[in-house]
Amino acid sequence: MKYPLLALTLGTLALVGCGSDDNHAEESTPTPPPPVEKTVNIDEATQINLIVEQFEPDTGTVLFSLADASQTAITAAKNYDIYFFGFPDKSKPSSHPKAWKRWHVTQNYRCQSKGECSGKLTEIKNGQYQFEIAGLDWQQHDPNKLVSHIKVAIQIYGAKAQNQLDLITVAPR
């Protein structure tokens, strides 16, 4: 007599179990893969556009991106000239009357195909680069600490092109 009751219980559990499998099939949908980002190698780019994204004035670390004319990310950049310019505050009187408040101090870093590189250029992701130096030190040429504005000029070289060299204000100090 217990067998019909046992069969009824097992049958009910089987039906309840089958119903829950249908719900799991509806909830789990495969996620599509991320889109493939189009890139161009620096030596194949016929135009190089540079945008400075971030600057750390204490260390001199610069974050910038490179793209070609069609906004395709440029990869494998390694040859560069990077110049930092320190300018005084224009509103303060100059102790050097002949300077006409146009004096500046510079620090430059370069890496060409032959020779040693000063600074470290790292590609963080496709088309985005970070340039690092040991520290941006104006003390040698500016012992009175009069530098109040910093500008940077970055030139990146490829086999077919180089970017336009612009003096970009990156930080008031």
Side-chain angles (χ1 to χ4, degrees):
M1 296 223 176
K2 293 184 181 181
Y3 293 112
L5 184 58
L6 180 62
L8 181 62
T9 304
L10 289 175
T12 305
L13 287 175
L15 288 176
V16 171
C18 289
S20 65
D21 286 345
D22 292 337
N23 292 338
H24 289 292
E26 291 176 26
E27 291 176 13
S28 62
T29 56
T31 57
V36 175
E37 185 177 345
K38 188 176 175 186
T39 62
V40 62
N41 185 287
I42 186 79
D43 291 330
E44 297 300 318
T46 56
Q47 180 178 345
I48 300 172
N49 299 314
L50 181 139
I51 297 173
V52 174
E53 297 172 357
Q54 187 176 355
F55 175 71
E56 176 57 47
D58 294 328
T59 63
T61 300
V62 180
L63 186 68
F64 62 91
S65 60
L66 299 175
D68 69 358
S70 63
Q71 298 304 311
T72 302
I74 296 176
T75 60
K78 59 185 177 267
N79 297 328
Y80 58 83
D81 284 321
I82 299 179
Y83 305 95
F84 293 96
F85 295 85
F87 294 94
D89 187 349
K90 291 180 182 181
S91 65
K92 292 184 179 178
S94 174
S95 60
H96 305 288
K98 292 185 179 183
W100 297 17
K101 299 183 186 178
R102 294 180 186 248
W103 69 268
H104 63 275
V105 292
T106 61
Q107 291 188 29
N108 59 326
Y109 304 89
R110 64 185 329 197
C111 185
Q112 300 301 324
S113 58
K114 298 177 183 176
E116 292 186 23
C117 297
S118 54
K120 179 183 175 189
L121 184 64
T122 307
E123 187 170 0
I124 296 173
K125 64 178 187 177
N126 289 341
Q128 189 174 43
Y129 295 84
Q130 179 174 304
F131 177 73
E132 300 171 277
I133 54 176
L136 192 57
D137 182 19
W138 300 111
Q139 189 65 26
Q140 179 183 3
H141 300 291
D142 181 29
N144 297 328
K145 298 184 180 184
L146 297 174
V147 169
S148 66
H149 294 84
I150 300 172
K151 296 183 180 186
V152 67
I154 302 172
Q155 188 138 49
I156 304 295
Y157 302 97
K160 298 178 181 178
Q162 63 191 32
N163 67 299
Q164 180 177 342
L165 186 63
D166 291 323
L167 194 58
I168 303 164
T169 301
V170 289
R173 276 184 68 144

